[in-house]
Amino acid sequence: DMGYPRPQFDADQGANAVENAGGVIEMHHGSHAEKVVYINLVENKTLEPDEDDQRFIVDGWAAGKFGLDVPKFLIAAAATVEMLGGPKKAKIVIPSISPAQIAEALQGRGWDAEIVTDASMAGQLVDVRPEGILKCVDGRGSDNTRMGGPKMPGGIYAIAHNRGVTSIEGLKQITKEVASKGHVPSVHGDHSSDMLGCGFFKLWVTGRFDDMGYPRPQFDADQGANAVENAGGVIEMHHGSHAEKVVYINLVENKTLEPDEDDQRFIVDGWAAGKFGLDVPKFLIAAAATVEMLGGPKKAKIVIPSISPAQIAEALQGRGWDAEIVTDASMAGQLVDVRPEGILKCVDGRGSDNTRMGGPKMPGGIYAIAHNRGVTSIEGLKQITKEVASKGHVPSVHGDHSSDMLGCGFFKLWVTGRFDDMGYPRP
């Protein structure tokens, strides 16, 4: 009665399809005793289940990574907990630095900074594509035709800079890391200054970041470009003069804007800093300082998702939940980095035979993706299994030791039609 079409396969058929397409089957044990639901919005972080202190764990950021309808995803997760008789108590985990704090910090540096939603950017925000280069924030024209990649100051130099990596070998390792995470690594020069045409690198190598505590690279611009290219990266060449009018700081995961040499703007994909485990405040301060030192516009638009943590809390409270917002700083020791060897698993808090921890958590594992998209066929499920693997995670679904593959409560609700009135077709 929730409007989701039911799956066209049963629990055993679904599990077999996932396993045959390269996924993992997990088996849970014990009874449900979850006390709280964590809705984690801190990108590339997760919590781990503890069968002796159970909690549901919903990695809300992962919905964005797979291009899902995030409000529907979160409503379905809440409805799942309710229909399974779980606790109507939620902790919404957010990054310690908020969009409002970013705006305030920029305003303190003399910037004009405003917060805008992705809904107001219709037609400008585009999906990140794996063939697009991870490129510089530079708004000028370019010889690059591989668009749709995330944007960071200096391309992959931003990662080295933030981490204090100054060696050629370290730069090569970052190049390979970026490729392993589904992006095309790049650095750039320009047609007037060759490889010193990247303003960010020029500031770094000439010591303009020294007083911010950043050690200078132990390589010059040509050596850096050669190292990136030799490790499998791309060299981009810009042309023309800088004429950027605004700086976009985009916090909408797996979305980006594209440069337009006839209407220039700096584009900083702030979410990408989280993906590479960078110190986000330092990353954003360095980006702002770069614009300032290059004489760019002290005007920023901070792009955020249309649904905010406060709106999530309000929606849950409207369903009778006790919901509070907490920061990642308050979760020290509990939030862990997502690891590629960890399975993308169910939110279920019970014990498990799984030893491959550190993966993101969604209702029913990868069934959550199929459910949200209205995918109900075996072939569609296999494609999602392969997609999850291509994005750096180990796909999984689960059963339990008492009900076999129907031991996944989310799948059981879906296949038996409990989501019908939400518009979800059954598998």
Side-chain angles (χ1 to χ4, degrees):
D1 61 355
M2 295 167 82
Y4 288 91
R6 305 185 195 189
Q8 299 168 20
F9 49 85
D10 63 27
D12 290 328
Q13 291 168 331
N16 289 337
V18 170
E19 194 167 35
N20 290 339
V24 170
I25 307 304
E26 177 187 29
M27 295 302 286
H28 288 192
H29 55 257
S31 300
H32 282 286
E34 291 89 353
K35 305 180 187 76
V36 64
V37 181
Y38 282 94
I39 299 172
N40 172 39
L41 304 180
V42 183
E43 187 190 355
N44 288 303
K45 298 282 187 177
T46 191
L47 296 96
E48 293 296 22
D50 178 351
E51 63 183 300
D52 298 318
D53 186 16
Q54 290 183 31
R55 55 202 178 178
F56 288 110
I57 302 160
V58 182
D59 284 315
W61 62 265
K65 179 167 188 174
F66 290 98
L68 306 187
D69 182 321
V70 177
K72 278 183 69 175
F73 171 85
L74 294 174
I75 291 168
T80 299
V81 172
E82 293 164 2
M83 290 189 284
L84 294 177
K88 295 175 75 170
K89 179 180 179 181
K91 292 191 177 186
I92 302 160
V93 188
I94 64 171
S96 293
I97 184 167
S98 69
Q101 288 171 315
I102 295 169
E104 185 178 351
L106 289 171
Q107 289 160 353
R109 300 174 73 100
W111 287 54
D112 172 15
E114 65 172 319
I115 296 170
V116 299
T117 67
D118 54 0
S120 73
M121 301 287 294
Q124 296 190 66
L125 278 179
V126 298
D127 291 334
V128 165
R129 298 195 302 272
E131 64 271 19
I133 65 170
L134 189 159
K135 66 179 257 85
C136 187
V137 303
D138 192 316
R140 294 177 293 169
S142 164
D143 64 356
N144 170 51
T145 58
R146 302 170 71 172
M147 293 296 183
K151 295 159 189 74
M152 307 171 79
I156 71 165
Y157 282 144
I159 301 172
H161 181 260
N162 191 272
R163 294 177 179 171
V165 172
T166 61
S167 69
I168 283 289
E169 188 55 40
L171 186 62
K172 288 180 179 178
Q173 289 303 313
I174 288 170
T175 303
K176 293 173 183 176
E177 176 191 350
V178 169
S180 75
K181 290 188 174 179
H183 303 295
V184 179
S186 86
V187 294
H188 82 92
D190 71 17
H191 291 151
S192 63
S193 304
D194 203 43
M195 294 314 301
L196 263 181
C198 173
F200 177 80
F201 183 83
K202 187 173 183 178
L203 292 171
W204 185 21
V205 78
T206 57
R208 298 291 298 280
F209 290 110
D210 285 2
D211 63 355
M212 295 174 68
Y214 290 97
R216 303 185 196 187
Q218 299 167 20
F219 49 85
D220 64 26
D222 290 327
Q223 291 168 330
N226 289 337
V228 170
E229 194 167 33
N230 290 339
V234 170
I235 307 304
E236 178 187 28
M237 296 303 286
H238 287 193
H239 56 256
S241 301
H242 282 286
E244 291 89 354
K245 305 181 186 75
V246 65
V247 181
Y248 282 94
I249 300 173
N250 172 38
L251 305 180
V252 183
E253 188 189 354
N254 288 304
K255 297 283 188 178
T256 191
L257 295 96
E258 293 296 23
D260 178 351
E261 63 183 300
D262 297 320
D263 186 14
Q264 290 183 30
R265 55 203 179 176
F266 288 110
I267 302 159
V268 181
D269 283 316
W271 61 265
K275 179 166 187 173
F276 290 98
L278 305 188
D279 182 319
V280 177
K282 281 182 65 177
F283 171 86
L284 294 174
I285 291 168
T290 299
V291 172
E292 292 164 1
M293 289 189 284
L294 294 177
K298 295 175 74 171
K299 178 180 180 181
K301 293 190 177 186
I302 302 160
V303 188
I304 65 170
S306 294
I307 183 168
S308 69
Q311 289 171 313
I312 295 169
E314 185 178 350
L316 289 171
Q317 290 160 352
R319 300 174 74 99
W321 287 54
D322 172 15
E324 64 173 318
I325 297 170
V326 299
T327 67
D328 53 1
S330 72
M331 301 287 293
Q334 296 189 67
L335 277 178
V336 299
D337 292 333
V338 167
R339 298 194 303 271
E341 65 270 22
I343 65 171
L344 190 159
K345 66 179 258 84
C346 187
V347 303
D348 192 316
R350 294 177 293 168
S352 164
D353 64 356
N354 170 50
T355 58
R356 302 169 71 171
M357 293 296 181
K361 295 159 189 76
M362 306 172 80
I366 71 164
Y367 283 143
I369 301 173
H371 182 257
N372 190 272
R373 294 177 179 172
V375 172
T376 61
S377 69
I378 284 288
E379 188 55 40
L381 186 62
K382 288 180 178 177
Q383 290 302 313
I384 288 170
T385 304
K386 294 173 183 175
E387 175 192 351
V388 169
S390 75
K391 291 190 174 178
H393 303 295
V394 179
S396 85
V397 295
H398 82 92
D400 69 17
H401 290 154
S402 63
S403 302
D404 203 41
M405 293 316 302
L406 264 181
C408 174
F410 177 80
F411 183 82
K412 188 172 183 178
L413 292 171
W414 186 20
V415 78
T416 56
R418 297 291 298 279
F419 291 110
D420 286 1
D421 68 350
M422 290 179 70
Y424 290 99
R426 305 189 195 188

